[in-house]
Amino acid sequence: MATRCKSILRPGTRLKVGEDVGHLLQFHFHTPSEESVNGVRYPLVAHFVHKGFDGKLSVVALLFKEGRRNQALAPMFTALPTEGKLLALANMNPGELLPADHSYFKFMGSLTTPPCSDGVRWQVLKQTAEISKQQLSAFRKLYTMNARPIQPLNSRVVEVSD
Ligand SMILES: [Zn+2]
């Protein structure tokens, strides 16, 4: 059950958030967000999946709240692929999606789609981005609900950066 909107990036694309430097493998979106912050779940989240130099996977999550039209999303959201298809983005800089403030919540987790492997480092950016109602409904026309339910924290520790 592949219900993700993945993007193909030019080889060598990198993204640095906090201490996290690695190769960006792909990014994709979920609606609603798979994260909640202080009990609040967001209408959309972007997951930037990296492979670190140590070979471990890490995911940077960017939450979206409803607001203004997001210009950085526009090139993608006007050409959204259908389920299971990939979208080639030749000249897109995914860094343009990120807010200026890169502070984050960090915790250890797993992939949210099968095989849901453990050992994935998660960094959820504190600063949210905005997306318009129209952009959100365009996404939801193709992807009605593609999020894993919120998982219990169990004994995991959530670290907060400055
Ligand atoms: Zn994801």
Side-chain angles (χ1 to χ4, degrees):
M1 187 178 65
T3 48
R4 292 189 293 174
C5 161
K6 272 193 197 170
S7 313
I8 298 173
L9 299 164
R10 276 183 302 182
T13 303
R14 290 182 189 185
L15 197 65
K16 182 174 187 290
V17 176
E19 65 192 43
D20 180 25
V21 187
H23 288 280
L24 182 60
L25 299 178
Q26 51 104 329
F27 64 97
H28 59 263
F29 300 87
H30 299 273
T31 183
S33 72
E34 296 184 314
E35 301 80 358
S36 69
V37 178
N38 296 325
V40 177
R41 202 164 179 181
Y42 289 78
L44 187 81
V45 65
H47 284 162
F48 299 89
V49 182
H50 298 75
K51 189 166 196 171
F53 296 121
D54 56 2
K56 297 227 169 98
L57 288 180
S58 62
V59 182
V60 175
L62 171 63
L63 297 161
F64 290 83
K65 62 177 183 186
E66 205 177 292
R68 284 169 303 181
R69 179 181 151 87
N70 190 310
Q71 291 300 341
L73 283 179
M76 258 178 296
F77 274 51
T78 51
L80 281 172
T82 50
E83 193 169 313
K85 292 271 168 42
L86 297 173
L87 173 66
L89 295 167
N91 294 309
M92 192 199 166
N93 175 7
E96 286 172 11
L97 289 170
L98 297 180
D101 178 1
H102 289 173
S103 54
Y104 54 81
F105 305 102
K106 186 168 107 178
F107 54 96
M108 290 305 290
S110 58
L111 295 178
T112 68
T113 51
C116 299
S117 328
D118 278 331
V120 179
R121 187 172 62 186
W122 283 85
Q123 286 171 282
V124 178
L125 294 172
K126 287 185 194 171
Q127 194 178 334
T128 56
E130 290 188 31
I131 183 170
S132 71
K133 207 185 199 66
Q134 288 76 13
Q135 286 179 308
L136 203 52
S137 65
F139 185 83
R140 286 182 170 161
K141 250 183 218 158
L142 291 169
Y143 305 91
T144 42
M145 155 71 189
N146 66 349
R148 187 190 194 191
I150 302 279
Q151 300 297 301
L153 192 57
N154 296 328
S155 56
R156 288 180 287 179
V157 176
V158 177
E159 294 173 51
V160 181
S161 82
D162 294 330

